[in-house]
Amino acid sequence: MNRTQPITLLVCALGGEGGGVLTEWLVDTARHAGYAAQSTSIPGVAQRTGATTYYIEVFPVPLAELGGRRPVFSLSPVPGALDAIVSSELLETTRQIGNGMSAPQRTLVITSSGRTLTTAERMQPGDGRADAQRLLDVVKAFSREHHVFDMGTVARDAGTVVSAVMLGAIAGSGLFPFPREAYEQVVRGGDTSAPEKLSKMAAASLRGFAKAFDTVGTPRAQAALVTRLLSSQGDEAPVQPTLSAEMARAFPPPTHDMLALGHARLVDYQDETYAALYLERLQQALAAERASDPAGAHGFAVTREMARWLALWMAFDDIVRVAELKSRASRAQRVRNEVKAADDDIVRVYDHFKPGAPEFAALLPASLAHRVTAWDRRRKTPFALPLKVGSHSVAGMASLRVLASLRWLRKRGSRFAEEQALIERWLAAVVQGTRADWRLGHELALCGRLIKGYGSTNERGKRNLLHVIDHLAVAPLPDGSPAARAAAIAAAREAALADEAGTALDATLMRHGAPPRPVIAQPIRWMKRPPAATP
Amino acid sequence: MEVSFSKEIEALRLGAGDTFHGEGILAITKGLLQSGVAYVGGYQGAPVSHLLDVMVQAKPYMDELGVHVEACSNEASAAAMLGASIHYPLRGAVTWKSIVGTNVAADALSNLSSPGVKGGVLIVVGEDYGEGASVIQERTHAYALKSGMCLLDPRPDLGVMVNMVEHGFRLSEHSNMPCMMELRIRTCHVRGSFECKNNLAPLVSTRALMEEPAGFDYMRLAHPPVTFRHEKLKGDERLPAARRYIAENRLNELIPGTHADLGIVVQGGLYNSLVRSLQQLGLADAFGATDIPLLVLNVAYPLVPEQVADFCVGKRAVLVVEEGQPEYIEQEIATLLRRRDIQTPLHGCDMLPAAGEYGVEVLATGMAQFAQRYLPQHAQHSAQGWLVGNRERRAAVATQLEAPLPARPPSFCIGCPERPVFAALKLAQQDSGPVHIAADIGCHAFGTFEPFSMGHSILGYGMSLASRAGVSPMMQRRALSIMGDGGFWHNGLLTGVQSALFNGDDAVLLIFKNGYTSATGTQDIISTPDDEMKEHAVDKQQSLVDKNQTIESTLKGLGVQWLRTVHTYRVDKMRKTLNDAFTSDFNGLKVIIAEGECQLERQRRIKPWIASLLKKGERVVRVKYGVDEDVCNGDHACIRLSGCPTLTIKDNPDPLKVDPVAVVIDGCVGCGLCGENAHAATLCPSFYRAEVVQNPRWHERLLHSVRGAVVRALQPA
């Protein structure tokens, strides 16, 4: 009985990446090279960005030598019986390996290092991204041989789509017994004219094909490319601000980088005196940490984290800050790059603002601010001003600059006072906690992460933080030991970042014997159909 | 639709001596023409959409042959179309997605099967079952049994498939039974080749018309009392005739094997998977030479009792490989063996799973049991090693990953006009409280996935409004029904709107008017903006669905009093309109038409247009949205309100901050949703809209340079 088996290839792609074209290319290549081949796919709703797979089988013996016999090909990929998996997205590669597709003794895996994040990963309030390193480890662990490179970048550089790159990778791997020319011939669409005469599209496809062919075909080139890509990953690294001598003396080295960034941020945000206040507050944290960990066994992590989160909170976002950031020349340039505008293209930039009463009240002294917010609360719907400010226009830029120049007003504003009070409460809690138990202080310091953004997001963050401080750090708990409190706070912080409704947070709070957050009133348009009238 | 099938249409013209290379479903289409089909109809749906799409676009060639092609309004009208073959010698073919389409067509199919057909009838159904299926998991087989139709399930080899199409028509004519042909997803998309024959122009056609209608013949009516006679004919004449034809023409394939005392009966469609699983067990070779004899049923119904009996008699055991439940074939074989008192042990669902797709691994697992029991001397070490290896590997990967990987369901396209409505709906429910949402079939069903996760029920295509009729009278707050224009014309207009109006229901219906049946491949419908409109549109980037008012006029004509039309991208307006509908004092049917053309179709129109303008060096304005990374607060509320593939996240460039920031990547089509959401939901002020003017006019340049100078003067570094 003849034991020769077909060569099997599973292709994983996302909708709209040309997987269909790729399989057509492969089947045509096989035909022109004189081999029996078959492809199948589950395109389904592929074009709708879902994950999709294509499956190709090629019989390794030329048709001419089969004496009229025709191999029976499988329509679906057989787990553990694949010779290769080629994939344009790292998570999808890992998914197929998780389905048992790849056999370490047999399967060659060629995958893009690129990630197209799933909605579930993108929508988390914190960072919901899957750990790419962990995904790569699976690829390494469950493949006979693996090639990893950023197919998306190669495609962009060549000005083509990822399907051409995947074809090049397959050809370069030598999986099928076809010569390189056979593939290229098909990509040319039988067009034998010289490269310069080729259609733009075919030429681009061939460039992408060649790049991937060499990448996979010649490991050295691949290594070089990978390193180049890696180096290009961390593009312009932010310039590290320098630390004044006495600041350097006042704080232990492990905190210096954060300290320098934080200090610079506050000078940029407000002024030297405000930055000085920052240092002074940080000193309190440092003193507390020195008391509970004189040896610095924890590398002054509390102070370091406070240097980060204190700076971010003190530089709270308001319309003044936003106007400042949006009216910088560097920003205008960044936008030009992001939208890939050519030099002689004109770029018009419209910024979406919707300042409400609170935003304006923030800059007014408390008494006035209260009146404004009270007026706003009386309205049926809260006042808000939807604006599209053309920061490319004179009027637009001028108004942004005027707003940005209101820095002096910020310090006199009601919000400034409120924020400072809250910051002090948090700082006090951190200091107290640190003195009681280093870990407790550390967890409280990390809670600075809960404070971010504007308007409702910012309000929510502050409410959560205060609730955590009041009920987990201070108020009596079933288990009031510092260690237990630290654990509870850590859990609460993670939960607070899990969902915006705070369902997870409330659950965690209650689990640790603390009350859930009070429900805040929200106006609802009520419509109640009356039940059928009884005759 | 803007997709072009010119290449496929060329393939349809191939004749004797040519070799066809391409996908299964196109091969079937070619097979229809080789069989001299006179009329073709159907309703689109994966995996058979292409059959109709290609034929519709091939109209000029169809006219040459005299073949009539009808894009029917639903499967029922497609099935009813087959009535032409009751009286006249016309070969007709229709196609749709099963099981759903067959359910819709059921009434007409019964009334077609009862009198039976004179001209051959072939119903090509996409058996959307198992992996990648987008509908409920049920078998079409049941319909063949209950209505008395033949069911072809050809081996997935293009040559065999085309051959079965040609036989299908003859079988139908010999037996007067309509024939169904079930094609699984992968069979429709399999790429292979076959030797072509010439296409046959039908004798009676749109070019050669009949002069007179058939004479009156009560026997041709599905109406008592003749229906009682029909019922008898089915068993007395039609089935025997069908069986004779199947046997004489060897439609089912007998493949001998060395172990003549064993046997496997397999549905034709599963042949390849079975052979591969036998290969894995070392019981077959790459060319299908097998140790165990096979009876391949290219016709799954009716079976030929003699053929099955002859195959089974004297064997130590027979295994029936049949996908899906109930196991109709296995039961029928069991009965006929019992009736003939044949004692051959019969296996099937006792060794193979009753439900789910029969992949190679599943089949091999069952086959291994069968071999274990009846071929104990056959070594299975390598096969068992392979199967165990798979199980262990899956477990190992799971442990190494710790958490399961996030799913990647399909979602709204970049710039889809339906996404903004779900954003508005999310916001509206914050104002007037959560509502019961009756969902429907179509792209908008993606609203059931993250980040929206909306919808309480899906009862069928166009059924949403009808499916809340029992809910809304029982609930204090109003229920919302969501329907696409595809579903509206498919049957929502009658089952939903007409019923709600007649009963004076207090209901809210939102119709997505995107202009096409997008989920099935953007086929045109009666409310699609016509081509002249697209031709003459000055700005081809605009949505053009507002140019066709068929839906509005239909609703008004039917008596809908509360009707609002909102452009879908106006999130705030849509939010207000929804709130009005939920809280209005008007207690009748309230209809909101969410207007916005399918972005796929728009892009297919826009891309070549823009390219041509740039080629001519003309002015083009390109819009892209963006996020200021230093202003973004890293909370991702914008993503929870959009889910657009181009609105994603990246590492925070600010070394102080840790949470990733939102970023708009290449591919953004500038639909405007980001800005609309930023305003409607008061998101953080990090969003900007950038308009890139290519080839600007001279006065623009002048203005820009002057303006630029001043702006730069104002800007700090």
Side-chain angles (χ1 to χ4, degrees):
Chain A
M1 188 177 275
N2 189 321
R3 290 274 167 243
T4 324
Q5 289 290 327
I7 308 167
T8 59
L9 164 67
L10 176 66
V11 174
C12 318
L14 303 185
E17 287 187 329
V21 179
L22 173 61
T23 45
E24 193 174 352
W25 276 341
L26 284 167
V27 172
D28 290 352
T29 309
R31 192 169 82 240
H32 293 313
Y35 289 84
Q38 176 186 281
S39 77
T40 61
S41 60
I42 305 243
V45 278
Q47 76 199 126
R48 318 297 198 281
T49 68
T52 162
T53 63
Y54 303 82
Y55 182 59
I56 297 99
E57 290 199 354
V58 173
F59 201 71
V61 183
L63 269 168
E65 299 168 26
L66 295 182
R69 290 179 308 168
R70 293 181 54 215
V72 178
F73 292 117
S74 171
L75 267 69
S76 52
V78 181
L82 292 175
D83 294 302
I85 295 175
V86 177
S87 166
S88 64
E89 208 276 346
L90 182 56
L91 184 100
E92 293 311 317
T93 318
T94 315
R95 193 193 305 282
Q96 291 305 331
I97 295 175
N99 293 343
M101 285 298 171
S102 176
Q105 317 76 17
R106 178 172 175 180
T107 313
L108 156 75
V109 176
I110 304 175
T111 179
S112 174
S113 55
R115 281 297 328 273
T116 303
L117 299 173
T118 63
T119 310
E121 289 172 287
R122 289 183 280 134
M123 66 189 278
Q124 302 305 328
D127 187 351
R129 294 174 294 179
D131 176 358
Q133 190 49 52
R134 179 163 282 178
L135 300 177
L136 274 174
D137 293 342
V138 170
V139 171
K140 293 198 181 90
F142 295 91
S143 56
R144 170 177 61 77
E145 183 189 345
H146 63 273
H147 300 281
V148 180
F149 66 99
D150 190 334
M151 295 180 176
T153 312
V154 175
R156 267 192 301 284
D157 294 352
T160 181
V161 283
V162 80
S163 49
V165 176
M166 291 170 103
L167 185 72
I170 294 164
S173 71
L175 174 69
F176 296 125
F178 318 140
R180 175 172 183 163
E181 301 64 39
Y183 292 94
E184 290 175 326
Q185 192 52 36
V186 170
V187 176
R188 288 158 166 269
D191 180 351
T192 50
S193 58
E196 64 276 6
K197 288 208 192 58
L198 268 180
S199 79
K200 255 216 184 102
M201 233 173 107
S205 302
L206 285 174
R207 275 200 304 280
F209 174 91
K211 189 90 196 130
F213 186 96
D214 301 337
T215 308
V216 173
T218 56
R220 215 179 289 93
Q222 180 184 4
L225 182 78
V226 170
T227 42
R228 187 177 67 71
L229 291 173
L230 289 179
S231 60
S232 67
Q233 296 295 316
D235 29 45
E236 74 288 339
V239 276
Q240 186 62 241
T242 48
L243 212 54
S244 77
E246 90 250 33
M247 273 160 67
R249 269 194 306 281
F251 290 90
T255 65
H256 282 181
D257 54 342
M258 282 298 153
L259 179 65
L261 287 163
H263 186 266
R265 175 68 46 91
L266 290 161
V267 174
D268 177 63
Y269 176 79
Q270 192 63 28
D271 51 29
E272 286 290 347
T273 37
Y274 195 49
L277 174 61
Y278 165 72
L279 293 178
E280 181 198 316
R281 283 175 170 155
L282 209 52
Q283 280 292 355
Q284 302 177 36
L286 179 60
E289 184 165 29
R290 282 226 164 93
S292 75
D293 177 22
H298 296 100
F300 297 97
V302 172
T303 314
R304 190 180 148 78
E305 286 306 316
M306 283 305 280
R308 175 202 298 277
W309 300 116
L310 184 59
L312 288 174
W313 192 346
M314 285 179 73
F316 59 87
D317 295 301
D318 59 5
I319 46 178
V320 177
R321 178 65 174 169
V322 173
E324 168 66 30
L325 291 172
K326 287 204 176 230
S327 59
R328 290 180 176 174
S330 56
R331 186 262 180 164
Q333 191 49 51
R334 193 179 66 226
V335 171
R336 278 197 80 90
N337 301 342
E338 245 180 58
V339 301
K340 301 201 166 46
D343 298 340
D344 44 8
D345 291 352
I346 295 178
V347 178
R348 298 189 297 232
V349 181
Y350 299 90
D351 286 295
H352 289 265
F353 295 108
K354 195 181 183 186
E359 275 76 9
F360 295 108
L363 293 175
L364 303 172
S367 54
L368 272 172
H370 286 314
R371 273 196 235 142
V372 174
T373 39
W375 163 79
D376 191 41
R377 253 187 242 101
R378 281 197 302 277
R379 292 169 50 90
K380 192 153 155 291
T381 55
F383 163 86
L385 205 62
L387 301 170
K388 288 200 190 91
V389 179
S391 56
H392 62 285
S393 71
V394 177
M397 179 53 70
S399 46
L400 284 178
R401 288 315 301 164
V402 170
L403 215 51
S405 69
L406 295 180
R407 238 185 236 210
W408 60 275
L409 200 56
R410 177 192 281 150
K411 268 190 135 154
R412 294 163 181 69
S414 58
R415 174 156 181 217
F416 189 84
E418 287 161 21
E419 297 289 347
Q420 302 309 318
L422 295 178
I423 290 170
E424 290 296 342
R425 267 177 80 182
W426 171 55
L427 179 62
V430 172
V431 168
Q432 245 176 18
T434 313
R435 289 186 186 281
D437 173 284
W438 183 86
R439 175 142 186 265
L440 176 56
H442 186 243
E443 294 300 343
L444 281 163
L446 290 172
C447 286
R449 184 178 183 180
L450 300 184
I451 307 296
K452 50 177 164 178
Y454 316 74
S456 56
T457 311
N458 184 268
E459 293 301 324
R460 193 175 72 239
K462 284 187 286 201
R463 270 201 308 280
N464 292 349
L465 176 65
L466 292 180
H467 195 85
V468 167
I469 291 175
D470 295 346
H471 295 279
L472 292 181
V474 186
L477 285 182
D479 177 359
S481 69
R485 287 183 184 276
I489 290 165
R493 190 179 59 245
E494 289 313 312
L497 291 168
D499 66 297
E500 62 189 327
T503 328
L505 175 56
D506 289 335
T508 316
L509 285 164
M510 289 192 276
R511 201 166 47 250
H512 292 88
R517 301 160 312 143
V519 181
I520 23 153
Q522 181 214 346
I524 282 203
R525 278 177 68 177
W526 197 248
M527 189 281 180
K528 210 170 178 183
R529 286 176 58 259
T534 44
Chain B
M1 62 167 56
E2 309 267 343
V3 193
S4 164
F5 291 104
S6 48
K7 213 168 113 213
E8 287 76 3
I9 292 167
E10 276 317 296
L12 290 184
R13 288 175 171 273
L14 295 175
D18 299 330
T19 309
F20 170 102
H21 300 285
E23 284 204 336
I25 189 63
L26 192 66
I28 295 289
T29 315
K30 172 78 171 104
L32 296 177
L33 297 179
Q34 291 185 179
S35 314
V37 72
Y39 64 95
V40 177
Y43 192 84
Q44 56 272 13
V48 293
S49 286
H50 275 22
L51 193 160
L52 208 59
D53 295 346
V54 171
M55 284 229 163
V56 167
Q57 276 195 21
K59 186 156 194 331
Y61 180 49
M62 294 302 123
D63 292 344
E64 261 176 63
L65 291 169
V67 177
H68 173 69
V69 179
E70 182 120 342
C72 306
S73 62
N74 61 27
E75 295 83 356
S77 70
M81 190 182 179
L82 295 170
S85 299
I86 294 177
H87 280 282
Y88 306 105
L90 294 166
R91 286 189 168 181
V94 294
T95 186
W96 57 66
K97 176 195 197 80
S98 205
I99 189 70
V100 283
T102 316
N103 289 342
V104 174
D107 191 12
L109 289 180
S110 299
N111 290 291
L112 175 73
S113 304
S114 188
V117 296
K118 183 171 184 189
V121 157
L122 189 69
I123 303 160
V124 180
V125 298
E127 188 76 346
D128 195 4
Y129 185 92
E131 180 193 7
S134 54
V135 299
I136 52 257
Q137 303 290 279
E138 288 184 9
R139 299 182 64 182
T140 310
H141 201 104
Y143 282 89
L145 295 178
K146 78 167 183 65
S147 299
M149 297 182 281
C150 301
L151 180 63
L152 313 178
D153 188 354
R155 180 156 67 81
D157 169 290
L158 264 52
V160 175
M161 286 155 68
V162 171
N163 194 20
M164 288 304 292
V165 168
E166 296 173 354
H167 275 298
F169 283 108
R170 286 190 224 110
L171 172 59
S172 175
E173 282 155 4
H174 274 77
S175 63
N176 303 120
M177 296 165 78
C179 284
M180 296 181 117
M181 176 179 279
E182 58 175 347
L183 301 170
R184 293 167 182 76
I185 303 178
R186 287 185 181 273
T187 306
C188 288
H189 296 297
V190 68
R191 271 188 185 282
S193 56
F194 73 92
E195 299 308 318
C196 301
K197 296 184 194 156
N198 291 328
N199 295 337
L200 297 179
L203 297 174
V204 178
S205 75
T206 57
R207 299 175 69 88
L209 303 177
M210 298 180 281
E211 287 171 3
E212 298 294 334
F216 179 76
D217 177 2
Y218 204 95
M219 268 305 283
R220 301 280 179 185
L221 292 164
H223 199 252
V226 293
T227 44
F228 309 130
R229 175 82 187 119
H230 293 158
E231 189 66 357
K232 287 214 168 25
L233 282 174
K234 286 181 182 175
D236 298 349
E237 292 179 15
R238 297 177 193 168
L239 275 176
R243 289 176 171 141
R244 260 199 314 281
Y245 184 90
I246 296 163
E248 284 164 4
N249 295 276
R250 296 201 171 72
L251 298 190
N252 298 326
E253 297 168 278
L254 270 164
I255 298 166
T258 46
H259 298 294
D261 56 350
L262 296 173
I264 302 172
V265 180
V266 59
Q267 289 168 299
L270 296 181
Y271 168 81
N272 290 43
S273 302
L274 174 66
V275 168
R276 177 55 54 88
S277 65
L278 288 170
Q279 287 172 17
Q280 290 295 99
L281 288 161
L283 291 169
D285 77 0
F287 303 97
T290 161
D291 292 3
I292 303 176
L294 308 180
L295 172 57
V296 182
L297 299 176
N298 291 317
V299 184
Y301 180 81
L303 298 179
V304 182
E306 299 70 25
Q307 185 178 50
V308 177
D310 296 350
F311 181 75
C312 296
V313 73
K315 291 196 191 297
R316 283 193 295 135
V318 166
L319 175 71
V320 179
V321 176
E322 178 185 14
E323 190 176 61
Q325 60 192 1
E327 69 283 37
Y328 298 111
I329 298 176
E330 186 182 344
Q331 289 172 8
E332 188 176 345
I333 292 179
T335 313
L336 73 87
L337 291 186
R338 187 75 195 81
R339 286 214 182 104
R340 287 174 167 64
D341 192 27
I342 298 172
Q343 296 307 323
T344 309
L346 184 69
H347 297 285
C349 287
D350 55 339
M351 293 185 170
L352 291 159
E357 187 173 14
Y358 278 2
V360 172
E361 193 178 9
V362 172
L363 284 173
T365 313
M367 286 307 308
Q369 263 192 66
F370 187 73
Q372 203 107 53
R373 178 137 163 212
Y374 295 101
L375 295 170
Q377 74 285 6
H378 178 77
Q380 285 200 23
H381 314 303
S382 84
Q384 285 305 333
W386 161 62
L387 289 168
V388 174
N390 289 347
R391 283 197 288 281
E392 290 176 347
R393 220 164 41 250
R394 291 186 183 108
V397 177
T399 24
Q400 186 168 338
L401 285 172
E402 286 177 14
L405 296 173
R408 194 189 299 273
S411 72
F412 299 108
C413 301
I414 297 165
C416 174
E418 303 190 348
R419 178 181 287 109
V421 176
F422 286 94
L425 183 51
K426 198 168 182 175
L427 295 170
Q429 291 187 87
Q430 291 172 11
D431 304 333
S432 41
V435 294
H436 174 98
I437 298 170
D440 209 295
I441 302 291
C443 292
H444 44 85
F446 297 152
T448 58
F449 295 127
E450 283 167 327
F452 300 114
S453 308
M454 291 178 184
H456 289 85
S457 62
I458 296 182
L459 266 289
Y461 197 20
M463 298 291 196
S464 60
L465 185 55
S467 72
R468 59 82 251 166
V471 176
S472 43
M474 309 294 168
M475 198 170 286
Q476 286 184 342
R477 251 176 265 145
R478 285 182 174 138
L480 172 70
S481 306
I482 292 174
M483 195 186 290
D485 42 9
F488 176 80
W489 292 119
H490 181 272
N491 79 17
L493 171 61
L494 297 182
T495 57
V497 177
Q498 189 267 128
S499 176
L501 287 171
F502 179 66
N503 293 283
D505 289 359
D506 182 348
V508 182
L509 169 64
L510 185 140
I511 299 174
F512 279 108
K513 185 183 169 189
N514 71 4
Y516 312 81
T517 58
S518 299
T520 56
T522 64
Q523 288 80 5
D524 289 5
I525 43 180
I526 192 170
S527 52
T528 301
D530 50 26
D531 297 346
E532 300 84 82
M533 191 59 68
K534 295 175 181 172
E535 284 299 316
H536 300 124
V538 187
D539 178 0
K540 301 203 189 309
Q541 308 206 38
Q542 287 314 309
S543 162
L544 296 174
V545 281
D546 54 310
K547 305 286 186 263
N548 185 320
Q549 291 290 312
T550 319
I551 293 179
E552 291 79 349
S553 46
T554 306
L555 290 172
K556 285 185 197 126
L558 218 55
V560 173
Q561 291 159 35
W562 197 103
L563 182 64
R564 306 264 189 287
T565 300
V566 184
H567 191 54
T568 59
Y569 295 97
R570 302 280 94 71
V571 174
D572 209 35
K573 185 161 183 237
M574 181 61 77
R575 174 193 199 165
K576 287 195 179 68
T577 313
L578 282 164
N579 278 323
D580 293 349
F582 293 149
T583 57
S584 148
D585 302 335
F586 179 76
N587 290 330
L589 175 62
K590 293 159 283 292
V591 182
I592 302 171
I593 294 183
E595 203 169 58
E597 186 176 2
C598 173
Q599 191 64 246
L600 275 177
E601 284 294 292
R602 275 173 74 182
Q603 290 305 316
R604 284 167 185 155
R605 178 171 73 229
I606 292 168
K607 287 207 177 101
W609 181 62
I610 296 284
S612 68
L613 288 178
L614 289 175
K615 208 163 179 197
K616 284 179 276 175
E618 286 178 31
R619 180 178 186 277
V620 170
V621 182
R622 169 166 62 89
V623 176
K624 184 183 186 291
Y625 276 73
V627 174
D628 281 305
E629 53 193 28
D630 47 8
V631 180
C632 169
N633 65 33
D635 177 61
H636 316 138
C638 51
I639 293 172
R640 291 192 289 277
L641 214 49
S642 159
C644 174
T646 56
L647 178 58
T648 180
I649 53 178
K650 66 171 184 183
D651 290 333
N652 201 320
D654 182 344
L656 280 174
K657 298 180 182 169
V658 298
D659 286 328
V661 291
V663 57
V664 178
I665 55 174
D666 296 353
C668 167
V669 296
C671 74
L673 175 61
C674 290
E676 285 288 330
N677 276 346
H679 275 174
T682 329
L683 299 174
C684 77
S686 54
F687 280 99
Y688 64 79
R689 169 192 176 90
E691 298 177 353
V692 184
V693 186
Q694 289 165 281
N695 306 325
R697 301 206 183 82
W698 68 269
H699 54 271
E700 272 182 307
R701 281 207 208 79
L702 184 63
L703 174 65
H704 179 67
S705 53
V706 179
R707 186 193 251 170
V710 186
V711 168
R712 271 190 297 281
L714 290 166
Q715 282 172 329

